[in-house]
Amino acid sequence: VNMDKLLYKKIAILENCSDVIYGLARRRMINLIPPTWAELEANFSKTGIQLGGRWKPKNCTSRIHVAIIIPFRDRDSHLRVFLNNMHPFFQKQELDYRIYIVEQKAGTIFNRGLLLNIGFVESAKIDGDAYDCFALHDVDLIAENEWNIYNCSEKVKHMAANISKFKSGLAYEKYSGGVAMFTKWQYTSVNGYPNTYFGWGGEDDDLYERITNNNNAGFSRVPLDIGRYTMIKHERDSGNPVNPGRVRQLQSSYKRRKVDGLSGLNGTYTVLKIDEFLLYTRIYVDVDPIA
Ligand code: UD2
Ligand code: MN
């Protein structure tokens, strides 16, 4: 028997998915009522979802391999709404994807930038090179337009151009928060987010500076009509007070960027536990309060 031939048959590679996807809606119905966990798991177990919140098209090889990274603490109902709306959204776009929730243990001030860096590094330890594109995503943002494709492009791609909570859609010209897409190379070349912004605000503006003052990565934003998101209404979380140093920190962004980011991540956190649930992978971390 020709073993090579047999092997080849067994791993026969599926053809690429078509680059045309039919039936994308410009205004998707969003359901803001949180289902229970039992309801969620029952609904999605039929969709071919794999443990850890992984999914890919059955009959073709997706052109898009993306890890969705979400900074998280104590937003259980938001997470249920997110999963309920966004799993079908990602599947409709025929993505090969996995959802990572990077959860910060209670007791330290929330640090969104640090959690996203941790998600970028730790997800690669789990998946190797399976995903070459990363969506850095708030848990409370639900995409409205299915034409807002979760792929990466030549420049960093800001997705959340038009969020319901802002009157004019875009918060301000240099706004980069909410949802953004990076290739592995783009994220590495800007040294990721800063690790040192504890509490609310500033970390996204620092990232914007890194991207636009960097010769390699560039910044792009999807059109307002495409980048529509509903933000689930919420108050400021108790563990995430406004960061009073954010303006001062932003002024020294340029000086810190080489050390404060992916390059300085070692030793700033401990992974306590990794769980593969049906609808997502949880990376549970304790963070050094002075990073
Ligand atoms: C804005 C930006 C956000 C970030 C933040 C400043 C929007 C839509 N988003 O969000 O990208 O720049 O300002 O830090 O404008 N989170 C938790 N638990 C917490 C606190 C935060 O899970 O206790 C996560 C969660 O994913 C949340 C995200 O961090 O969506 C951003 O925090 P936020 O929603 O409180 O801040 P917001 O809406 O002003
Ligand atoms: Mn929010």
Side-chain angles (χ1 to χ4, degrees):
V1 200
N2 184 335
M3 285 306 280
D4 279 354
K5 235 182 183 166
L6 273 181
L7 267 176
Y8 179 76
K9 261 200 176 147
K10 211 165 179 189
I11 57 165
I13 292 164
L14 292 172
E15 264 180 66
N16 280 346
C17 296
S18 162
D19 53 8
V20 184
I21 302 171
Y22 292 97
L24 294 182
R26 298 200 167 271
R27 276 301 173 99
R28 184 186 170 79
M29 293 293 277
I30 289 175
N31 183 356
L32 292 173
I33 301 167
T36 64
W37 283 108
E39 284 166 344
L40 270 175
E41 298 204 350
N43 287 345
F44 285 107
S45 54
K46 301 161 222 139
T47 63
I49 207 157
Q50 288 177 289
L51 205 61
R54 283 178 293 154
W55 188 89
K56 58 185 173 193
K58 234 192 358 239
N59 302 319
C60 55
T61 300
S62 179
R63 295 164 183 272
I64 306 169
H65 303 86
V66 55
I68 318 286
I69 314 270
I70 300 178
F72 184 84
R73 182 162 73 192
D74 199 17
R75 294 273 192 109
D76 191 80
S77 72
H78 290 189
L79 180 56
R80 283 178 278 138
V81 170
F82 180 87
L83 296 170
N84 193 34
N85 287 279
M86 294 305 286
H87 267 304
F89 181 102
F90 296 143
Q91 292 173 11
K92 202 152 174 199
Q93 292 190 346
E94 300 185 341
L95 310 178
D96 180 338
Y97 72 93
R98 177 165 180 158
I99 296 180
Y100 281 97
I101 301 296
V102 191
E103 180 173 349
Q104 183 173 339
K105 190 185 168 197
T108 47
I109 296 179
F110 195 74
N111 188 329
R112 179 173 176 272
L114 182 56
L115 291 176
L116 290 169
N117 284 344
I118 294 170
F120 178 79
V121 168
E122 295 296 327
S123 66
K125 289 184 191 167
I126 296 169
D127 287 317
D129 286 330
Y131 306 105
D132 50 11
C133 180
F134 296 81
L136 308 188
H137 213 302
D138 282 5
V139 74
D140 55 18
L141 289 177
I142 312 298
E144 294 179 19
N145 189 337
E146 292 173 355
W147 289 83
N148 196 12
I149 306 289
Y150 275 66
N151 61 4
C152 283
S153 58
E154 250 172 87
K155 297 176 177 180
V156 173
K157 187 166 72 155
H158 184 229
M159 305 282 275
N162 189 347
I163 300 177
S164 58
K165 79 162 174 175
F166 300 123
K167 279 211 183 70
S168 64
L170 184 62
Y172 46 91
E173 189 44 43
K174 296 182 170 187
Y175 177 69
S176 72
V179 186
M181 309 296 302
F182 291 79
T183 63
K184 195 168 264 194
W185 180 84
Q186 285 162 350
Y187 201 66
T188 310
S189 83
V190 299
N191 201 20
Y193 266 95
N195 304 321
T196 52
Y197 285 72
F198 284 87
W200 184 89
E203 86 292 342
D204 49 346
D205 298 324
D206 194 306
L207 182 76
Y208 181 86
E209 291 302 317
R210 289 167 185 236
I211 297 166
T212 53
N213 292 327
N214 181 301
N215 299 327
N216 304 318
F219 186 80
S220 66
R221 181 180 291 128
V222 305
L224 287 184
D225 181 44
I226 301 284
R228 278 182 197 282
Y229 285 82
T230 296
M231 191 176 101
I232 304 168
K233 289 213 172 74
H234 65 79
E235 307 292 325
R236 187 71 39 78
D237 305 86
S238 58
N240 192 26
V242 173
N243 171 7
R246 68 191 189 288
V247 176
R248 190 176 33 80
Q249 279 175 283
L250 192 55
Q251 284 162 357
S252 65
S253 165
Y254 188 80
K255 280 185 255 168
R256 282 182 296 99
R257 76 168 58 143
K258 284 222 159 60
V259 290
D260 183 7
L262 292 175
S263 65
L265 198 55
N266 266 343
T268 62
Y269 68 97
T270 315
V271 176
L272 299 173
K273 199 162 184 279
I274 293 175
D275 295 298
E276 292 192 311
F277 299 123
L278 181 62
L279 298 180
Y280 64 95
T281 298
R282 178 175 82 146
I283 302 175
Y284 185 48
V285 296
D286 197 4
V287 151
D288 181 341
I290 50 170

